[in-house]
Every structure is written in C-alpha cells, then in structure tokens.
Amino acid sequence: SLHDALPISINDAFAHCDVYLQSFEAFRDMVIENEQVDAAELYEGAEKGEIVLEDFAAKLSTYEGQAVSINSIPDVKECGIIEVNAQRMKEMIAPSPASCLEKIEVLLPQLAVIKQKKLLDEVSHANSKLNHKPEAVSEFVAILDFINECNEKKDQFEADFNELQEH
C-alpha cells in the first residue's frame, strides 16, 4: 500500500543521499589541503632546491585534475524520490584549485627570473675572470685552476640552463 511504501521510499532516498554525500568527502579534504598551500613556502622551498620544476608540474597537474573533477560533478542528481542540487557546492569549492593554480602560475615566472639572473651572474663572473690577461705565473695558474673549476661545474651549468628552458 501507499501508506507502507512511502516511508520505505523516503528512507531509501535518504540512504541514497547519504551515499552521495560521502562521495563529497574527498572534495572537502581537497579544499582543506589546498587551503594549506602557501606561496611563500613554495617560493622558499624552490629557492632552497627542496621543490624542483617536476614538483611544480605535479602540483599543476593535481590542481588541474581537481578542477576537472569538480566540473564533472553533476549539477543535479536524483537520489530516489529526492533530487540533490550540487551546483552551489560546486561554486563554493571551484575556487580552491583555481587559487592554487594561480599561486603557482604567479610564482613560476618569478623563480625563472631569479634562476636566470643567478646563472647570468655566474657566467658574467666567469667571463670577466677569463678575459683578464695574466701578468704573472701565479695569475696564469689561478686562471687554470678557475678553468678546472668551471669544467667541474659544467654539468650543473647545463642542468640549470636546461631547467630555465623548461620554465
């Protein structure tokens, strides 16, 4: 009878809503985690070499994936006899990955400029030392030692240059 079926339908609908609600836990955790992203910490980590370009690429991929996941949430979902509208929730959580992406997109060019300046300063320093004409044997020996140092650092210079190109 309708009298018996109605409470069952309502209970089933709320059970479906509970299951649907649990699917949003990952988004809640995502927002909480994203709120912890600090541009200053990222900047410091990058300067210290603790965060490298691959880490930033992974973060960009993560935040872009989060945005796609948010957009893939249906605006309306039927849970039995109840219709759940998730549009407002999507609007509330969408800025979370967008904010993280923005922080990184602002930070990367700043880091590239710093690395570029550092590399340019090192190359300029090397050029000025190598352009100095030795006037004594000790100066000639010092230049040879410096050339050896530069040769030892060559791989690092190339790695730094390649990383700048990737920026």
Side-chain angles (χ1 to χ4, degrees):
S1 80
L2 180 61
H3 183 266
D4 295 332
L6 187 58
I8 293 170
S9 293
I10 291 173
N11 285 336
D12 286 349
F14 279 110
H16 282 90
C17 287
D18 282 342
V19 170
Y20 187 53
L21 178 65
Q22 289 173 12
S23 72
F24 293 116
E25 286 296 316
F27 291 103
R28 181 182 63 96
D29 295 343
M30 172 203 75
V31 170
I32 291 169
E33 200 173 295
N34 288 355
E35 286 176 354
Q36 306 302 312
V37 174
D38 182 2
E41 280 181 24
L42 292 173
Y43 184 86
E44 288 174 21
E47 277 195 320
K48 292 177 185 175
E50 297 166 357
I51 301 173
V52 295
L53 196 56
E54 291 81 20
D55 298 322
F56 282 109
K59 288 179 184 303
L60 286 170
S61 178
T62 296
Y63 302 135
E64 288 167 352
Q66 289 174 353
V68 169
S69 294
I70 291 168
N71 286 333
S72 71
I73 297 171
D75 288 341
V76 178
K77 170 127 173 124
E78 288 187 21
C79 296
I81 61 171
I82 298 175
E83 189 174 84
V84 178
N85 188 326
Q87 197 166 6
R88 176 73 179 118
M89 189 208 60
K90 287 171 58 173
E91 291 169 1
M92 290 173 59
I93 64 174
S96 178
S99 170
C100 293
L101 282 169
E102 183 180 332
K103 288 176 187 176
I104 291 175
E105 288 169 354
V106 166
L107 192 59
L108 284 177
Q110 294 172 355
L111 292 170
V113 166
I114 290 169
K115 287 185 180 216
Q116 182 180 15
K117 184 179 179 341
K118 180 183 170 207
L119 187 59
L120 185 60
D121 288 347
E122 288 182 42
V123 169
S124 295
H125 173 69
N127 279 334
S128 69
K129 242 184 167 173
L130 294 172
N131 284 332
H132 176 73
K133 186 175 181 179
E135 296 181 14
V137 173
S138 61
E139 289 178 357
F140 184 74
V141 170
I143 287 179
L144 288 177
D145 288 342
F146 182 72
I147 289 171
N148 283 336
E149 275 180 47
C150 288
N151 281 334
E152 289 173 7
K153 293 180 181 178
K154 182 180 150 248
D155 291 340
Q156 184 60 46
F157 284 145
E158 286 179 8
D160 290 346
F161 181 74
N162 290 335
E163 186 176 345
L164 273 173
Q165 284 183 316
E166 291 176 17
H167 268 278

